[in-house]
Amino acid sequence: MTTTSRPYSGARRRLARMAAGLVAGLVLAAPAKAAEVRVMISGGFTAAYQALVPGFEKKTGDKVETAYGPSMGTAPEAIPVRLARGEPADVVIMVGYALDALDKEGKIEPGTKVALADSRIALAVKAGAKVPDIATLDAFKKALLGATSIAYSDSASGVYIEKEMYRKLGLEKELAPKSKMIVAERVGNVVARGDAEFGFQQIAELKPVKGITIVGPIPPEVQKVTVFSAGIPKGAKHPEAARALIAWLSSPEHAATVAETGLDPIKAR
């Protein structure tokens, strides 16, 4: 019994090892489970993002869940506020300097920030309304002085207009009383329904709005170019999928799609 049991035991052990190796090989060969990538994004890059995400989902099998909100401020939907209350995120897409602020606070993974596109401010009026001349700085000043009401956003462009542009024009006292910051709504919607004669917002946020005419970018002397960037927050559950999504959004292959939404794609640096 003793002499015959040893070969049998050895064979059984070899079979067990072979089976274990086969199982390990099958596990390694199995496709990775699709990730659910959670994104927080502010308005300026939204149209480009919405155009590009379906292709990313189709190519990778990952699913993208999106929360929208401004890059700054104290509104409950604001991205910094969402992060502060512990909402999960794998990617944040927002105004570059607001992302830099989060980075300085230690809330962004080092080396993950990527500049996606430049965004410029434009003036809009209601569709069918007289289109003002803003081709020169003097004409722009004259048009603003003649406007009955002016609206601007509660995000980067509006903060610039309220705090800097009016002062640069030397018209702060004249324009401030008839101007209003619009919270949690696109300025174009306010202009389209006639609640403001003039509306300022980034071109990419005005283009999707129906019922308005985009007069054009404001004069270069007072233009404010806003960079939209992406980054991965600390504690992201799917960092690799997050990197893949950012690479997809910033790919030169998709620059034309980004440009169609009113943004200027940033070439790889």
Side-chain angles (χ1 to χ4, degrees):
M1 293 289 294
T2 303
T3 56
T4 57
S5 64
R6 286 175 182 171
Y8 177 79
S9 298
R12 188 165 59 184
R13 285 195 295 270
R14 285 194 296 272
L15 287 171
R17 286 196 296 268
M18 289 174 63
L22 179 61
V23 171
L26 290 172
V27 170
L28 291 173
K33 184 180 179 181
E36 186 177 272
V37 188
R38 294 181 176 271
V39 178
M40 294 182 184
I41 182 171
S42 61
F45 197 76
T46 296
Y49 168 84
Q50 290 175 338
L52 293 173
V53 161
F56 172 81
E57 291 181 321
K58 183 176 180 180
K59 183 175 182 178
T60 64
D62 294 335
K63 297 299 179 184
V64 179
E65 296 293 329
T66 309
Y68 298 92
S71 296
M72 60 201 76
T74 58
E77 299 83 10
I79 292 173
V81 176
R82 288 180 182 274
L83 292 175
R85 66 171 175 253
E87 285 192 30
D90 297 299
V91 177
V92 291
I93 301 172
M94 54 200 298
V95 172
Y97 63 80
L99 182 61
D100 290 342
L102 291 177
D103 188 30
K104 289 178 181 177
E105 294 172 7
K107 296 180 179 178
I108 302 297
E109 287 290 348
T112 64
K113 292 187 299 178
V114 175
L116 301 175
D118 288 335
S119 181
R120 286 171 168 77
I121 302 169
L123 172 67
V125 296
K126 187 174 182 177
K130 181 180 178 181
V131 176
D133 177 11
I134 63 169
T136 66
L137 191 62
D138 286 341
F140 184 55
K141 289 181 179 180
K142 184 177 178 180
L144 291 178
L145 288 170
T148 57
S149 56
I150 302 170
Y152 47 77
S153 78
D154 63 342
S155 195
S157 61
V159 171
Y160 164 73
I161 288 166
E162 183 180 79
K163 304 294 184 183
E164 298 183 50
M165 191 186 81
Y166 283 178
R167 180 173 45 81
K168 287 180 180 180
L169 293 170
L171 300 176
E172 190 172 11
K173 291 182 180 179
E174 293 85 350
L175 300 181
K178 58 182 179 181
S179 298
K180 182 179 181 181
M181 179 175 281
I182 305 302
V183 179
E185 183 181 12
R186 278 183 169 161
V187 172
N189 293 334
V190 176
V191 174
R193 63 174 179 261
D195 290 345
E197 183 181 2
F198 283 6
F200 288 111
Q201 200 158 17
Q202 291 158 352
I203 297 172
E205 294 189 67
L206 291 171
K207 284 195 75 170
V209 180
K210 298 185 182 300
I212 64 172
T213 297
I214 300 176
V215 180
I218 64 177
E221 295 92 335
V222 290
Q223 180 63 259
K224 174 74 170 180
V225 178
T226 300
V227 180
F228 279 90
S229 300
I232 301 176
K234 289 281 184 70
K237 292 183 179 179
H238 304 289
E240 292 307 315
R243 287 185 177 88
L245 176 57
I246 293 173
W248 181 266
L249 297 173
S250 60
S251 170
E253 179 184 353
H254 301 133
T257 301
V258 174
E260 287 172 4
T261 67
L263 297 169
D264 298 325
I266 294 178
K267 295 179 181 180
R269 294 172 180 173

